[in-house]
Amino acid sequence: MVSGEAPQAEGSVRVDAWIWAVRLTKTRSQAAAACRAGHVRVNGERAKPAQSLRAGDEVRLRHAGRDRIVVVSKIVRKRVGPPVAVECFVDNSPPPPPRETAIQVPVRDRGAGRPTKRDRREMERLQGRGPGPV
Protein backbone atom coordinates (compact mmCIF):
# COMPACT_ATOMS: atom_id res chain seq x y z
CA MET A 1 0.00 0.00 0.00
CA VAL A 2 1.31 3.43 -0.95
CA SER A 3 1.54 5.91 1.92
CA GLY A 4 -1.23 8.51 1.82
CA GLU A 5 -3.78 6.09 0.37
CA ALA A 6 -6.86 5.16 2.32
CA PRO A 7 -6.99 1.63 3.64
CA GLN A 8 -9.51 0.27 1.13
CA ALA A 9 -11.64 -2.66 2.22
CA GLU A 10 -14.07 -4.50 -0.01
CA GLY A 11 -17.48 -5.49 1.26
CA SER A 12 -19.05 -3.76 4.21
CA VAL A 13 -18.21 -2.04 7.47
CA ARG A 14 -20.15 -1.03 10.60
CA VAL A 15 -22.04 2.28 10.32
CA ASP A 16 -20.59 3.74 13.52
CA ALA A 17 -17.03 2.79 12.51
CA TRP A 18 -17.41 4.34 9.04
CA ILE A 19 -18.94 7.60 10.38
CA TRP A 20 -15.97 7.92 12.75
CA ALA A 21 -13.40 6.85 10.13
CA VAL A 22 -14.45 9.57 7.65
CA ARG A 23 -14.49 12.20 10.40
CA LEU A 24 -18.22 12.97 10.55
CA THR A 25 -17.94 12.55 14.36
CA LYS A 26 -14.96 13.07 16.64
CA THR A 27 -15.14 9.72 18.43
CA ARG A 28 -16.49 6.28 17.66
CA SER A 29 -18.53 6.35 20.85
CA GLN A 30 -20.21 9.57 19.64
CA ALA A 31 -21.05 7.80 16.38
CA ALA A 32 -22.49 4.78 18.22
CA ALA A 33 -24.49 7.06 20.56
CA ALA A 34 -25.91 8.94 17.55
CA CYS A 35 -27.02 5.61 16.05
CA ARG A 36 -28.65 4.47 19.30
CA ALA A 37 -30.43 7.83 19.66
CA GLY A 38 -31.90 7.53 16.15
CA HIS A 39 -29.85 10.35 14.62
CA VAL A 40 -28.41 8.11 11.88
CA ARG A 41 -30.40 6.79 8.93
CA VAL A 42 -29.10 4.53 6.18
CA ASN A 43 -31.16 4.57 2.97
CA GLY A 44 -34.04 6.15 4.91
CA GLU A 45 -34.12 3.49 7.66
CA ARG A 46 -33.01 4.07 11.25
CA ALA A 47 -29.57 2.48 11.75
CA LYS A 48 -28.14 0.54 14.68
CA PRO A 49 -24.40 0.96 15.35
CA ALA A 50 -23.49 -2.52 14.02
CA GLN A 51 -25.51 -2.26 10.79
CA SER A 52 -23.37 -2.95 7.74
CA LEU A 53 -22.71 -0.22 5.25
CA ARG A 54 -21.80 -0.68 1.57
CA ALA A 55 -20.67 1.64 -1.20
CA GLY A 56 -23.61 3.54 -2.68
CA ASP A 57 -25.60 3.73 0.59
CA GLU A 58 -27.01 7.11 1.65
CA VAL A 59 -26.22 8.07 5.26
CA ARG A 60 -28.12 10.86 7.03
CA LEU A 61 -26.54 12.05 10.26
CA ARG A 62 -27.91 14.68 12.64
CA HIS A 63 -24.86 15.96 14.53
CA ALA A 64 -23.93 19.27 16.16
CA GLY A 65 -27.29 20.84 15.26
CA ARG A 66 -26.85 20.13 11.56
CA ASP A 67 -28.04 17.49 9.10
CA ARG A 68 -25.34 15.77 7.07
CA ILE A 69 -26.42 13.77 4.01
CA VAL A 70 -23.63 11.74 2.42
CA VAL A 71 -23.42 8.94 -0.13
CA VAL A 72 -20.75 6.32 0.58
CA SER A 73 -18.20 6.08 -2.23
CA LYS A 74 -15.39 4.18 -0.43
CA ILE A 75 -15.44 1.78 2.48
CA VAL A 76 -12.74 2.46 5.07
CA ARG A 77 -12.25 0.58 8.32
CA LYS A 78 -9.64 2.79 10.01
CA ARG A 79 -9.70 6.54 10.63
CA VAL A 80 -8.17 8.49 7.78
CA GLY A 81 -6.90 12.05 7.41
CA PRO A 82 -9.21 14.87 6.27
CA PRO A 83 -8.02 14.96 2.62
CA VAL A 84 -8.59 11.20 2.26
CA ALA A 85 -11.87 11.30 4.21
CA VAL A 86 -13.41 13.74 1.71
CA GLU A 87 -12.80 11.20 -1.08
CA CYS A 88 -14.75 8.50 0.81
CA PHE A 89 -18.16 10.13 0.42
CA VAL A 90 -20.20 12.51 -1.73
CA ASP A 91 -21.60 15.31 0.44
CA ASN A 92 -25.21 16.22 -0.43
CA SER A 93 -25.77 18.19 2.79
CA PRO A 94 -27.59 21.51 2.76
CA PRO A 95 -25.23 24.43 3.40
CA PRO A 96 -24.79 25.38 7.06
CA PRO A 97 -26.78 28.39 8.26
CA PRO A 98 -24.92 31.71 8.20
CA ARG A 99 -23.25 32.63 11.48
CA GLU A 100 -25.22 35.85 11.97
CA THR A 101 -28.58 34.02 11.80
CA ALA A 102 -27.47 31.52 14.46
CA ILE A 103 -29.13 32.15 17.81
CA GLN A 104 -27.03 34.31 20.08
CA VAL A 105 -27.15 33.04 23.62
CA PRO A 106 -26.01 35.46 26.29
CA VAL A 107 -23.32 33.99 28.52
CA ARG A 108 -22.81 35.14 32.07
CA ASP A 109 -19.64 34.61 34.04
CA ARG A 110 -19.88 31.94 36.69
CA GLY A 111 -20.40 33.49 40.10
CA ALA A 112 -21.58 36.81 38.68
CA GLY A 113 -24.80 36.61 40.69
CA ARG A 114 -28.29 37.38 39.47
CA PRO A 115 -28.65 39.49 36.36
CA THR A 116 -29.51 43.14 36.89
CA LYS A 117 -32.52 44.70 35.23
CA ARG A 118 -30.21 46.08 32.54
CA ASP A 119 -28.71 42.59 31.98
CA ARG A 120 -32.20 41.05 31.70
CA ARG A 121 -33.28 43.63 29.14
CA GLU A 122 -30.11 42.97 27.10
CA MET A 123 -30.76 39.19 27.20
CA GLU A 124 -34.38 39.68 26.13
CA ARG A 125 -33.29 41.98 23.29
CA LEU A 126 -30.78 39.38 22.05
CA GLN A 127 -33.45 36.67 22.16
CA GLY A 128 -35.87 38.88 20.22
CA ARG A 129 -38.43 39.06 23.01
CA GLY A 130 -37.97 42.62 24.15
CA PRO A 131 -37.99 46.09 22.59
CA GLY A 132 -34.98 47.25 20.60
CA PRO A 133 -32.32 49.68 21.85
CA VAL A 134 -33.63 52.83 23.49
Side-chain angles (χ1 to χ4, degrees):
M1 178 165 49
V2 178
S3 66
E5 274 188 358
Q8 179 82 15
E10 294 298 323
S12 63
V13 68
R14 289 173 57 117
V15 170
D16 61 343
W18 187 84
I19 289 172
W20 166 75
V22 297
R23 298 178 170 264
L24 294 177
T25 60
K26 285 188 177 183
T27 65
R28 180 153 174 200
S29 61
Q30 276 183 343
C35 290
R36 283 192 300 272
H39 298 301
V40 177
R41 294 184 174 273
V42 176
N43 297 327
E45 298 292 324
R46 192 171 161 180
K48 292 184 178 179
Q51 180 175 335
S52 31
L53 193 65
R54 298 183 182 280
D57 286 346
E58 180 190 67
V59 178
R60 290 176 177 259
L61 169 68
R62 177 116 180 112
H63 180 67
R66 176 171 179 220
D67 284 329
R68 298 291 306 266
I69 304 167
V70 297
V71 178
V72 179
S73 59
K74 282 186 186 175
I75 298 292
V76 291
R77 295 186 191 280
K78 295 189 177 183
R79 192 163 173 97
V80 293
V84 179
V86 173
E87 298 171 1
C88 295
F89 60 86
V90 178
D91 197 352
N92 296 331
S93 305
R99 285 235 179 224
E100 55 272 358
T101 60
I103 299 173
Q104 294 178 343
V105 179
V107 178
R108 290 185 50 79
D109 293 330
R110 193 171 169 92
R114 293 181 59 175
T116 63
K117 192 171 197 174
R118 182 178 186 179
D119 293 338
R120 278 198 319 274
R121 286 183 178 157
E122 179 68 18
M123 286 188 284
E124 288 173 356
R125 186 185 62 76
L126 285 174
Q127 293 172 352
R129 293 188 289 169
V134 180

